Amino acid sequence: MSGNKSRVLHLLRYLRTNSDSEHVITTKEIIDLFANTDEKCNRVTLANDIATLREEGYDVRTVISSANYYYLGDREFEPEEIKLLIDAVSASHFISNARSVELVDKLKSFESKYKAEELTRHLYFAGSTKTSNVRAFDLVDEINGAINDRRKISFQYYQYTSGKTRTLRDHGKTYVNSPYYMVYTNDHYYLVGWSDEHEKVVQFRIDRMKNLRITKEKARTRRGFHIDRYVQENFSMYAGDDIHVTLECDNDMMDAIIDRFGGGVATSQSPDGTYFTAEVTVGDSPTFYAWVFMFGGKIMIVGGERAVKNYEKMIRNAKKKRKKARSDVSQK
């Protein structure tokens, strides 16, 4: 970069913060900016500095009128892109409140101070509870580094008691793990890796880790491990033995079916047009049956003998448990 580097960078920061297409800066304003500094500026040096910024790819535009006016045009992000990123940061459970505010401020800095005011969002994120672990954001980066370097990690892990008190699991035990992947699901990051202690692949929620340390010990590798299969079996409602199921659905349930099984799901309309059926392959798991149950009969399992029996059994067990709880209360 030619010319006085310090002055050029100072000029760039000033243009970025104080100018846009609706707020232009005069030559005199810029010269006055440097009046009380060692970085002297005049019309000639300003013209050279503007040319230097343009050579470096910055979209410094000139408005010629009775005097020259300048502003920074195209930037790294469009306003709509910044708004999208702000929404994503604000909605994320994984990013703490303090870190969210910090990141949003950084995103706003890509626009002028005038446009930044327009980036204030008025969205309510239903059910968006923020993590209390202010280091969760950094833990993801550290674990990613350990995976790249093929090193084991150690950490403590906390959980909540029935009184909502956060406490370290197993009296502060240190867990050692060979990290394979990180999985992002249900707005949380999970570590998936090998546990020497349990001799199998396990997972931990990253925002519940504490005192993470990357060790010097080489991570243990496992041939034939497939992350997609592991996620399907351990994170989704399809965990369990695969079974074929026929679902009978009210017509207004198509959104729910497509959201869960995708647009390629096989469906057919009933002869009288009052409902439709969907043919799906799922895991024989309580999670799947709970998903069906939450629609209150608007989605029913009508095909797949094993699924029908297990669903009915789950409902019966729930009724028995509720009946027993009522009996215990009445005897007190």
Side-chain angles (χ1 to χ4, degrees), residues 12-231:
L12 175 60
R13 287 194 293 269
Y14 189 78
L15 287 168
R16 182 188 295 277
T17 302
N18 297 279
S19 74
D20 54 51
S21 60
E22 298 174 4
H23 303 86
V24 295
I25 300 173
T26 67
T27 299
K28 183 179 183 305
E29 286 180 88
I30 297 175
I31 292 176
D32 290 346
L33 174 68
F34 295 99
N36 298 318
T37 71
D38 295 331
E39 303 164 340
K40 299 303 180 182
C41 178
N42 54 47
R43 293 179 183 275
V44 175
T45 59
L46 174 58
N48 291 335
D49 292 346
I50 294 293
T52 297
L53 288 173
R54 288 170 177 163
E55 289 172 4
E56 294 298 317
Y58 293 100
D59 184 30
V60 181
R61 302 185 186 183
T62 304
V63 178
I64 300 176
S65 182
S66 56
N68 285 351
Y69 299 88
Y70 304 95
Y71 70 94
L72 188 61
D74 291 340
R75 303 181 182 229
E76 291 86 346
F77 296 99
E78 295 293 330
E80 294 76 15
E81 295 172 330
I82 297 177
K83 290 175 183 177
L84 179 64
L85 293 172
I86 287 175
D87 289 348
V89 168
S90 301
S92 175
H93 299 279
F94 186 78
I95 305 175
S96 68
N97 276 318
R99 197 60 181 269
S100 292
V101 171
E102 180 184 338
L103 289 172
V104 168
D105 286 343
K106 287 181 179 179
L107 288 168
K108 287 183 177 181
S109 71
F110 283 100
E111 282 289 353
S112 72
K113 62 184 180 182
Y114 310 103
K115 295 290 186 181
E117 296 176 1
E118 300 174 10
L119 296 175
T120 300
R121 310 297 281 150
H122 301 283
L123 297 177
Y124 174 75
F125 299 97
S128 182
T129 56
K130 291 288 192 176
T131 179
S132 58
N133 188 342
V134 294
R135 287 205 66 243
F137 197 74
D138 301 313
L139 293 176
V140 171
D141 188 57
E142 292 174 22
I143 293 173
N144 192 70
I147 295 173
N148 288 338
D149 294 337
R150 298 182 180 178
R151 299 288 182 182
K152 289 184 178 181
I153 61 173
S154 66
F155 55 89
Q156 293 173 299
Y157 198 72
Y158 69 80
Q159 60 189 14
Y160 286 93
T161 67
S162 58
K164 294 192 291 186
T165 301
R166 193 171 71 172
T167 182
L168 290 174
R169 179 186 287 182
D170 296 331
H171 307 289
K173 169 185 174 180
T174 297
Y175 296 85
V176 179
N177 190 276
S178 295
Y180 291 165
Y181 292 92
M182 287 181 291
V183 175
Y184 186 78
T185 182
N186 296 324
D187 213 11
H188 292 292
Y189 283 93
Y190 293 83
L191 163 70
V192 174
W194 180 266
S195 167
D196 288 338
E197 178 184 0
H198 297 98
E199 296 186 338
K200 65 177 183 178
V201 176
V202 297
Q203 71 263 4
F204 292 91
R205 229 176 80 176
I206 292 176
D207 62 318
R208 290 185 176 173
M209 293 180 177
K210 185 176 182 179
N211 297 325
L212 177 75
R213 187 175 67 88
I214 301 175
T215 74
K216 295 182 179 180
E217 189 176 355
K218 279 288 186 181
R220 174 173 174 174
T221 59
R222 183 186 179 191
R223 295 181 182 273
F225 176 74
H226 299 285
I227 186 61
D228 51 349
R229 184 184 304 167
Y230 182 88
V231 169

Side-chain angles (χ1 to χ4, degrees), residues 188-325:
H188 292 292
Y189 283 93
Y190 293 83
L191 163 70
V192 174
W194 180 266
S195 167
D196 288 338
E197 178 184 0
H198 297 98
E199 296 186 338
K200 65 177 183 178
V201 176
V202 297
Q203 71 263 4
F204 292 91
R205 229 176 80 176
I206 292 176
D207 62 318
R208 290 185 176 173
M209 293 180 177
K210 185 176 182 179
N211 297 325
L212 177 75
R213 187 175 67 88
I214 301 175
T215 74
K216 295 182 179 180
E217 189 176 355
K218 279 288 186 181
R220 174 173 174 174
T221 59
R222 183 186 179 191
R223 295 181 182 273
F225 176 74
H226 299 285
I227 186 61
D228 51 349
R229 184 184 304 167
Y230 182 88
V231 169
Q232 182 179 11
E233 293 174 352
N234 292 273
F235 285 94
S236 73
M237 75 176 202
Y238 306 106
D241 297 334
D242 284 348
I243 54 175
H244 182 80
V245 174
T246 301
L247 300 174
E248 183 179 295
C249 315
D250 287 6
N251 285 330
D252 60 353
M253 287 290 100
M254 185 59 80
D255 283 350
I257 292 297
I258 290 178
D259 286 347
R260 180 55 62 184
F261 300 103
V265 61
T267 62
S268 58
Q269 191 71 50
S270 67
D272 61 2
T274 58
Y275 65 91
F276 69 91
T277 58
E279 305 292 332
V280 299
T281 299
V282 299
D284 182 22
S285 69
T287 309
F288 166 66
Y289 300 127
W291 177 81
V292 173
F293 182 80
M294 75 178 186
F295 293 103
K298 294 173 76 68
I299 296 178
M300 298 185 294
I301 303 172
V302 295
E305 183 178 355
R306 175 177 169 182
V308 171
K309 289 182 177 179
N310 287 342
Y311 184 49
E312 291 175 346
K313 180 180 178 181
M314 189 181 78
I315 293 174
R316 286 196 303 269
N317 289 341
K319 288 181 178 179
K320 289 179 181 178
K321 188 171 183 179
R322 184 179 181 186
K323 184 177 180 180
K324 182 178 184 301

